[in-house]
Amino acid sequence: MLELPASITKGRLSDLVETLEIDNAHATVSISLWGAQIMSFKPKHDGRERLFKSNKIVLDGSKSLRAGVPVCWPWFAQREGYQKHGYVRIRNWQVLSATESDDYTEIVLSPLDMVGKGFDGTAELSLTVRVGRSLSITLTTTNSGKDAFEFNTALHTYFLVDDVNDVELKGLSGKYSDKTRNWAMLETPEPYRFTEETDRIHLNPVKHVTIVEGDAQIGVESAGHDSVVVWNPWAENSANMRDMGPEAYLRMLCVETAVTQGKTLQANESHSLTQIIS
Ligand code: TA6
């Protein structure tokens, strides 16, 4: 591994999960190199953790990590016979570059191996993580082959809340497709609150969404997306998930910056998907 600047140290959560711990003037962040999954973001100006990490997180590789910002690529959601949300979330990633300045620390990661069952394209992928007062995450897909390919992708972020019953989501509008109602197309509610299992693909790709809970807010800014996905499994599903448990759904709200409608890249073309958390 290349030499890391002073604001980055290495850590380890299990045999499999090696981490990079960033601690600079603005924030602390923890990133698992397995999946390039950012698991913690705590800005120093308010000391409030923004990302959910399950107490029952599985660290032995038998499933993906229930923490922070899973990277979904090259498909979104379940595909019969394949890893849900694609395979790069269960791959080892390497550090391509790591730099720091007064304003931020920046790390660029890429998967050690890009080839996977279910995807025939030739692609390069990089995740740029910029840790400052806010956390900026950009996933760049480049078609490095000769033929066009289509893909979907998401920054599938599990946000930490105190109690999802007290949360209001602001900024979404237009129609959404509801997985819990056989993909019915429905109008975004106003106010947007949580009282049941919620699994929605909002097809109006708004730029700013705010998670509001009392005086606390989390800002979610998106770019390069065609959808914003909102998910909470609610009590029964949460209880049945081996890495969640009966109470965990109360502390988690998933708001995703996503491409769910298929994006085609011609040879040499690139696409960037960005989520900025504040
Ligand atoms: O992104 C929403 C979703 O597709 C939901 O339907 C739900 O199944 C969820 O993802 C779970 O994915 P995860 O990998 O977080 O268990």
Side-chain angles (χ1 to χ4, degrees):
M1 197 194 272
L2 77 179
E3 201 174 318
L4 298 172
S7 57
I8 309 176
T9 53
K10 288 197 240 174
R12 185 172 285 285
L13 293 181
S14 69
D15 285 351
L16 178 77
V17 179
E18 192 186 350
T19 63
L20 296 175
E21 307 295 333
I22 298 147
D23 187 345
N24 64 19
H26 309 285
T28 58
V29 155
S30 178
I31 309 175
S32 162
L33 285 174
W34 194 64
Q37 201 153 324
I38 302 166
M39 298 191 294
S40 165
F41 168 50
K42 218 191 255 192
K44 290 190 175 170
H45 66 88
D46 62 12
R48 188 160 48 85
E49 177 62 67
R50 301 298 199 265
L51 301 178
F52 170 83
K53 178 173 167 218
S54 174
N55 294 332
K56 294 188 165 190
I57 185 170
V58 176
L59 297 167
D60 64 5
S62 59
K63 76 172 301 307
S64 53
L65 302 175
R66 182 72 61 200
V69 191
V71 175
C72 306
W73 190 95
W75 56 83
F76 175 79
Q78 194 67 64
R79 267 201 190 176
E80 198 60 37
Y82 296 105
Q83 168 70 34
K84 193 200 288 177
H85 292 311
Y87 52 81
V88 297
R89 67 191 302 202
I90 53 163
R91 290 279 166 88
N92 278 311
W93 292 54
Q94 63 188 332
V95 182
L96 290 186
S97 69
T99 53
E100 65 185 8
S101 67
D102 288 348
D103 294 332
Y104 53 78
T105 302
E106 186 179 274
I107 300 180
V108 182
L109 301 166
S110 72
L112 280 178
D113 174 18
M114 282 293 294
V115 178
K117 207 171 76 154
F119 180 69
D120 293 332
T122 305
E124 280 171 20
L125 200 60
S126 68
L127 189 78
T128 302
V129 180
R130 188 176 276 195
V131 180
R133 202 180 151 85
S134 57
L135 173 68
S136 167
I137 312 159
T138 296
L139 183 73
T140 301
T141 305
T142 301
N143 184 342
S144 51
K146 293 195 182 78
D147 300 319
F149 63 74
E150 189 182 305
F151 70 110
N152 283 308
T153 181
L155 296 166
H156 179 71
T157 311
Y158 312 127
F159 289 98
L160 177 67
V161 297
D162 261 356
D163 182 341
V164 76
N165 289 291
D166 299 332
V167 168
E168 185 176 342
L169 197 56
K170 295 199 171 179
L172 290 168
S173 60
K175 298 269 187 212
Y176 69 88
S177 178
D178 193 333
K179 185 174 171 190
T180 70
R181 290 176 173 76
N182 200 22
W183 300 112
M185 290 299 296
L186 300 170
E187 202 62 43
T188 298
E190 176 65 39
Y192 198 132
R193 304 197 63 114
F194 297 88
T195 55
E196 59 180 350
E197 181 187 357
T198 303
D199 199 344
R200 301 172 177 174
I201 299 179
H202 290 262
L203 295 165
N204 176 11
V206 300
K207 285 197 177 132
H208 297 275
V209 175
T210 311
I211 300 168
V212 181
E213 188 176 19
D215 292 339
Q217 297 198 352
I218 304 176
V220 186
E221 198 180 318
S222 301
H225 58 314
D226 64 19
S227 318
V228 176
V229 180
V230 179
W231 173 59
N232 182 289
W234 219 248
E236 196 180 332
N237 292 327
S238 185
N240 290 331
M241 292 159 74
R242 77 167 157 124
D243 60 355
M244 286 288 277
E247 307 281 307
Y249 79 99
L250 292 167
R251 310 297 315 277
M252 193 279 289
L253 180 64
C254 187
V255 178
E256 309 174 43
T257 299
V259 173
T260 65
Q261 305 301 299
K263 170 90 192 154
T264 300
L265 281 185
Q266 303 297 332
N268 299 317
E269 270 187 347
S270 290
H271 169 266
S272 288
L273 182 74
T274 297
Q275 187 176 76
I276 301 172
I277 301 169
S278 56

